[in-house]
Amino acid sequence: VQLQASGGGSVQAGASLRLSCAASDPILSNYHLGWFRQVPGKEREFVAAISWREGNTLYSESVKGRFKISRDVAKEMVVLQMNSPQPEDTAVYYCAVRQLRYRTPLTALRAQYDFWGQGTLVTVSS
């Protein structure tokens, strides 16, 4: 599966930004899609994840209540709506897919995801 992330850019704190991630192959019902982010010199960290079948979601504490992950099944796409971003949200954002054969709880563990997109840079200024 190839993933293409888009929508990054420069915004001021408090403005909204919408990231999209499109898959090149069909996303099967048991798959999970996730967003991670990374700043230079730091580990890639979990942001949010969604189950393809049910649309269940999981968020990191740092974005809970501000960001929203959703899926568009018809377009094979996952979206991260960033509301009220802050300068500390500045990072390269990556989407990832976790290929599963069975229903499985969502996870924030980076190593559990199988394929990654190329990343899109988000810069939030104060």
Side-chain angles (χ1 to χ4, degrees):
V1 177
Q2 291 187 334
L3 302 172
Q4 181 72 39
S6 61
S10 297
V11 295
Q12 288 198 321
S16 294
L17 196 64
R18 184 175 182 267
L19 305 184
S20 298
C21 178
S24 61
D25 297 312
I27 300 174
L28 302 183
S29 59
N30 287 321
Y31 286 11
H32 296 167
L33 277 294
W35 286 97
F36 289 73
R37 64 187 183 186
Q38 189 171 22
V39 297
K42 290 192 174 182
E43 296 279 327
R44 190 170 298 186
E45 68 171 5
F46 173 76
V47 175
I50 189 166
S51 61
W52 198 249
R53 184 201 301 265
E54 299 92 353
N56 295 330
T57 58
L58 178 68
Y59 294 93
S60 69
E61 287 299 318
S62 62
V63 307
K64 190 179 294 183
R66 299 188 299 123
F67 293 6
K68 181 179 180 181
I69 188 170
S70 61
R71 76 214 191 286
D72 187 327
V73 175
K75 295 182 179 179
E76 302 278 343
M77 180 179 293
V78 63
V79 172
L80 184 69
Q81 179 67 40
M82 302 173 62
N83 297 321
S84 299
Q86 300 300 310
E88 54 265 33
D89 295 316
T90 295
V92 176
Y93 283 72
Y94 298 88
C95 58
V97 62
R98 184 185 183 203
Q99 295 181 312
L100 298 162
R101 298 180 67 181
Y102 309 104
R103 282 186 179 176
T104 305
L106 291 165
T107 183
L109 295 176
R110 185 176 70 241
Q112 294 291 320
Y113 290 79
D114 302 293
F115 296 96
W116 295 80
Q118 85 289 359
T120 185
L121 176 62
V122 172
T123 303
V124 184
S125 58
S126 58

